[in-house]
Amino acid sequence: MTNIPNSDPISGRKLYESVAESLVGQIGASSLRVGDQLPPERELTEAFGVGRSSVREALRMLESQGLISAESGGTFVVAETSNPLNRSLELVFSLDEQARITDLYELRRIVECEAAALAAERRTPGQLEALKLALSEMDASLPDPKGQRFTSADLRFHLAVGEAADNKLVLNCLNAVREVLRRALLTIFLMPGSAAAAVEEHGRIYRAIAANDPVAAREEMRAHLIRVEKDVAKGAPNG
């Protein structure tokens, strides 16, 4: 459990909002890290000089935003930094059907093409091996009629590109859309010839990254995403 530094009593606007903002500040300053357990309510009320109701409301607010998660015994821990982004994007895709294809693939082109270019410049031998293993699994799972293995390997490949880009915001962005992306990738697998084409395209992306060629990596990723978007639009107009 992590102690909260002594704070001046909070006053002014709604108390629970100020408590929540202070806790977010602690997380942002790394005083509270992912997996750290927050102090119990009693300690938080003393640290912030507010009542328990304000602390409880602040904790509920941060939990709803995905910044903290509840554990057994009524305790809270700091969640993964991508959680709030995950929830926000999942809500967008659940409320706006058109965004499921158009906005998703536009976002992917913006993020993943540059991620591939960065990966070609920054990838480590271990990250290159992760890409190779995901690609091999995609190829090996083509005969599987359900597509679950293929989809998981495809997703791992794209996340591995994000990892190799060595940019936390890029990786968080890809993780935030991973479940929406998983459904889109399954749609691709079910379309005749699309999965086999994806294996070939991923192979070209891999080879460009392996060759430390950012220009080729960017263009191969772009060509792949453009082709996939067209296939997904044909197979699933609503994503």
Side-chain angles (χ1 to χ4, degrees), residues 16-111:
Y16 77 87
E17 292 179 344
S18 296
V19 172
E21 184 177 294
S22 294
L23 289 172
V24 170
Q26 294 293 330
I27 295 171
S30 296
S31 297
L32 289 168
R33 299 177 181 275
V34 173
D36 282 351
Q37 187 179 102
L38 270 64
E41 287 181 7
R42 177 180 55 79
E43 292 186 21
L44 290 173
T45 60
E46 293 175 357
F48 293 114
V50 300
R52 285 201 173 189
S53 61
S54 295
V55 168
R56 289 171 184 168
E57 188 63 28
L59 294 175
R60 282 195 291 266
M61 177 180 174
L62 296 183
E63 184 183 19
S64 70
Q65 294 173 346
L67 284 168
I68 61 175
S69 57
E71 291 197 328
S72 59
T75 60
F76 289 90
V77 298
V78 179
E80 292 285 346
T81 53
S82 60
N83 276 10
L85 185 59
N86 290 1
R87 295 192 181 191
S88 296
L89 290 177
E90 285 174 4
L91 181 60
V92 168
F93 285 113
S94 67
L95 295 178
D96 186 347
E97 290 187 350
Q98 186 59 32
R100 294 184 184 184
I101 289 180
T102 306
D103 290 356
L104 173 63
Y105 277 90
E106 187 170 275
L107 174 65
R108 292 189 68 189
R109 287 195 300 276
I110 292 169
V111 174

Side-chain angles (χ1 to χ4, degrees), residues 5-219:
N6 290 331
S7 303
D8 294 331
I10 291 174
S11 60
R13 58 202 184 99
K14 291 181 180 179
L15 293 178
Y16 77 87
E17 292 179 344
S18 296
V19 172
E21 184 177 294
S22 294
L23 289 172
V24 170
Q26 294 293 330
I27 295 171
S30 296
S31 297
L32 289 168
R33 299 177 181 275
V34 173
D36 282 351
Q37 187 179 102
L38 270 64
E41 287 181 7
R42 177 180 55 79
E43 292 186 21
L44 290 173
T45 60
E46 293 175 357
F48 293 114
V50 300
R52 285 201 173 189
S53 61
S54 295
V55 168
R56 289 171 184 168
E57 188 63 28
L59 294 175
R60 282 195 291 266
M61 177 180 174
L62 296 183
E63 184 183 19
S64 70
Q65 294 173 346
L67 284 168
I68 61 175
S69 57
E71 291 197 328
S72 59
T75 60
F76 289 90
V77 298
V78 179
E80 292 285 346
T81 53
S82 60
N83 276 10
L85 185 59
N86 290 1
R87 295 192 181 191
S88 296
L89 290 177
E90 285 174 4
L91 181 60
V92 168
F93 285 113
S94 67
L95 295 178
D96 186 347
E97 290 187 350
Q98 186 59 32
R100 294 184 184 184
I101 289 180
T102 306
D103 290 356
L104 173 63
Y105 277 90
E106 187 170 275
L107 174 65
R108 292 189 68 189
R109 287 195 300 276
I110 292 169
V111 174
E112 293 194 59
C113 294
E114 291 308 310
L118 289 173
E121 297 174 339
R122 300 174 178 177
R123 55 84 176 166
T124 66
Q127 290 165 341
L128 190 62
E129 182 65 19
L131 287 166
K132 183 178 180 180
L133 288 174
L135 179 59
S136 296
E137 178 68 10
M138 287 176 66
D139 189 38
S141 61
L142 280 174
D144 180 3
K146 294 183 179 180
Q148 297 297 334
R149 283 179 57 204
F150 178 90
T151 299
S152 294
D154 194 346
L155 185 58
R156 284 202 307 276
F157 183 94
H158 286 278
L159 292 177
V161 171
E163 184 77 36
D166 194 26
N167 183 307
K168 290 183 179 179
L169 293 180
V170 167
L171 186 58
N172 282 344
C173 189
L174 292 178
N175 273 310
V177 297
R178 65 186 301 165
E179 292 310 314
V180 179
L181 180 55
R182 185 187 300 275
R183 294 193 292 272
L185 293 175
L186 183 57
T187 300
I188 296 165
F189 180 86
L190 297 175
M191 298 190 68
S194 189
V199 171
E200 293 180 5
E201 291 160 359
H202 282 69
R204 289 194 286 270
I205 295 167
Y206 166 78
R207 288 189 290 275
I209 292 174
N212 297 114
D213 188 339
V215 174
R218 180 187 294 112
E219 291 309 310

